[in-house]
Amino acid sequence: QVRLVGSGGGFVQAGGSLRLSCSASGTSSTINVMGWYRQAPGKQRELVAEINFAGRTNYGESVKGRFTISRDGAINAVYLQMNSLKPEDTAVYYCMGGTTYYTPNYWGQGTQVTVSS
């Protein structure tokens, strides 16, 4: 059983920065990709960023150039540095793990990010 534990998030003013972390444990050898999706009230869950274990990344269009995902393969952890945050980035951010891009198989508990204008 794979377990994903996310941390970070919080409240920040527009233009500020936050950092999210996520670590995987359990049968994590089945995961090739880790990253985050987000869901704002009344909206569908959408891709934020994901990274495979070769270090290749995939970003949602709305965060390109502002967010950076990185990984530490030694401890099965990924990090999301979020800069130049906007009010529209406000959402619950869910850590995910999957076998390939756009295919989340496992979810973490979600963490709230709130950006004030």
Side-chain angles (χ1 to χ4, degrees), residues 62-68 81-86 89:
S62 62
V63 307
K64 284 181 179 178
R66 299 187 298 122
F67 292 10
T68 303
Q81 180 65 41
M82 304 185 292
N83 297 329
S84 302
L85 283 160
K86 305 175 181 179
D89 294 317

Side-chain angles (χ1 to χ4, degrees), residues 43-64:
K43 294 188 176 181
Q44 288 189 329
R45 194 170 294 191
E46 64 175 0
L47 171 69
V48 178
E50 51 191 358
I51 185 169
N52 72 5
F53 283 176
R56 295 184 65 179
T57 58
N58 185 31
Y59 291 94
E61 284 297 322
S62 62
V63 307
K64 284 181 179 178

Side-chain angles (χ1 to χ4, degrees), residues 68-109:
T68 303
I69 190 169
S70 59
R71 59 177 281 270
D72 184 337
I75 58 173
N76 285 336
V78 292
Y79 309 97
L80 185 68
Q81 180 65 41
M82 304 185 292
N83 297 329
S84 302
L85 283 160
K86 305 175 181 179
E88 50 264 43
D89 294 317
T90 295
V92 177
Y93 284 66
Y94 294 92
C95 176
M96 54 70 68
T99 54
T100 188
Y101 292 137
Y102 301 110
T103 312
N105 301 113
Y106 306 99
W107 296 100
Q109 79 277 17

Side-chain angles (χ1 to χ4, degrees), residues 31-49:
I31 295 177
N32 296 315
V33 175
M34 290 180 66
W36 281 269
Y37 280 62
R38 68 185 181 187
Q39 188 166 20
K43 294 188 176 181
Q44 288 189 329
R45 194 170 294 191
E46 64 175 0
L47 171 69
V48 178

Side-chain angles (χ1 to χ4, degrees), residues 21-34:
S21 301
C22 179
S23 61
S25 61
T27 317
S28 54
S29 61
T30 61
I31 295 177
N32 296 315
V33 175
M34 290 180 66

